[in-house]
Amino acid sequence: MGRFNLSNQYKAIVIGGSAGSFQGIVKILSGLPENFELPIIMCLHRLKHVRNGFVEALSIKSIKPVVEPYDKENIKMGKVYLAPANYHMSCELGNSFSLSTEDMINNSRPSIDVTLESAAYVYKNKLIGILLSGANRDGAMGMKRIKDRGGLTLIQDPAECMMDTMPTAAAKLTEIDYSLKIDEIIEFLREVNKVSKG
Amino acid sequence: MQDIEIADLRRLTEVIKEQYDYDFSNYAMSSFKRRIQRILELYKIHTIDMLIKKIREDKSFFGDFITEITVNVTEMFRDPSFWRELREHVIPNILLNHQTISIWHAGCSSGEEVFSMNIMLKEMGIMDKAKIIATDIDKVILEKAKAGQYPIKNMELNEKNYIRFQGKTTLSDYYKEVNGKAMLDKSLLQNVSFREHDLVNGNIFNKFDLVLCRNVMIYFNQTLQNVVLKKLHESLFKYGYLIIGSKESLIWCEIANKFIVVNNEEKFYKKIKD
């Protein structure tokens, strides 16, 4: 049995991050086992009008290429997805993505709340939500929805965050199951992978 | 606030279909749900049942509902690289074989894209060769498009896009600032006719050389995207161009084989089969 005593119920992982999260994300993506099975769905705050470059930068050290999905693209096992610039990214029932150009939420498009809330709706108690460093409150409501629907909530240890506003805001709004450093998040995800493969 | 359940949305779309002949049942669930949530908050309506009752009983409220349900966030020259490609390759290509050019903005919203198009055509010296039809499901937003007045704070982003588009002058040559609003030059609409049209239930009303439908179908599910794409296909002359949003794709639609990809980065498709 691993440190986190996890069950094999999980079907997807969502990650939100903003200011100060880039290094952590890169570390996580490079530290995962290559056979990592669950889809990883990321929403990171990014420049609205720069379409190219970010996904490439994230892919360099990642164990697998990071993909910016097209509207209505299916969510597949073993893939790593990133919300594209200037679109909100949602999960749909039937496991596909929808993109949208709705108003900015929390001054952001893509908004982490949008991705997390829609994922909570689709995956319910089969979802793990991870919120990393950030300087605003986007993602807090999304984490609450994940918790309300029975999912697991994890934040980056505020003491390790370059900007701790975002994980702290989530912890104020809802129950957080784990507060971990990036290295521990990697250990956690390795255990998730082991357990989900049986 | 309580989360909305799918059964609630189904009941709502059925009532609307029955009473007003608008069909939202195949809208993408995630964004439709957010729009409904937004309307509940905006009008301080506490439950879906109360919303259904209001829609049933209040016809004028239903007009407001249509306005709020549609997403009207847009920019002038959104994706400047797309506009450059349009100017440098697609428009010249159409004009190789045509004296005039007919354009349909399907889902034109508040008209920023229509103004962008005519600014571009004017700078190319060919605005008089183009006939433009701009349609939207929402009457109110069409009036805004016709008025051509945008909050001055939006113009900073629009100007940035225009600079990256590498326009010939500056965007401020095309508008005057009046009471905190940017009033676009009305002569930019002289070749444009606006009309109310619902892509879901509406008829095919004309044929075009160029159809722009960018970031409209993302609000539909795949079933409805297929239906609408068939209509767009039928509305194009053979060898006409269809343009969709940068993160939309025709790959998984039923009539994909009737188009070829001209530019995958900017999402230009050409109709090659009737």
Side-chain angles (χ1 to χ4, degrees), chain A residues 58-125:
Chain A
L58 283 172
S59 295
I60 292 173
K61 288 188 179 164
S62 172
I63 47 132
K64 24 189 134 197
V66 177
V67 181
E68 290 174 334
Y70 282 107
D71 178 60
K72 303 300 167 322
E73 186 166 333
N74 285 326
I75 302 171
K76 292 199 182 119
M77 297 291 272
K79 294 269 189 192
V80 181
Y81 298 100
L82 174 72
N86 213 4
Y87 285 99
H88 293 300
M89 180 176 81
S90 306
C91 300
E92 292 282 345
L93 295 166
N95 292 2
S96 63
F97 289 110
S98 268
L99 302 179
S100 121
T101 60
E102 283 158 276
D103 286 299
M104 292 198 282
I105 295 173
N106 307 315
N107 273 318
S108 311
R109 187 172 56 232
S111 148
I112 299 168
D113 273 344
V114 166
T115 303
L116 265 50
E117 286 184 32
S118 63
Y121 201 74
V122 169
Y123 291 104
K124 301 177 182 72
N125 65 341

Side-chain angles (χ1 to χ4, degrees), chain B residues 202-214:
Chain B
N203 296 324
I204 292 148
F205 57 90
N206 217 333
K207 289 236 181 205
F208 300 92
D209 300 307
L210 181 62
V211 174
L212 290 92
C213 189
R214 300 172 74 214

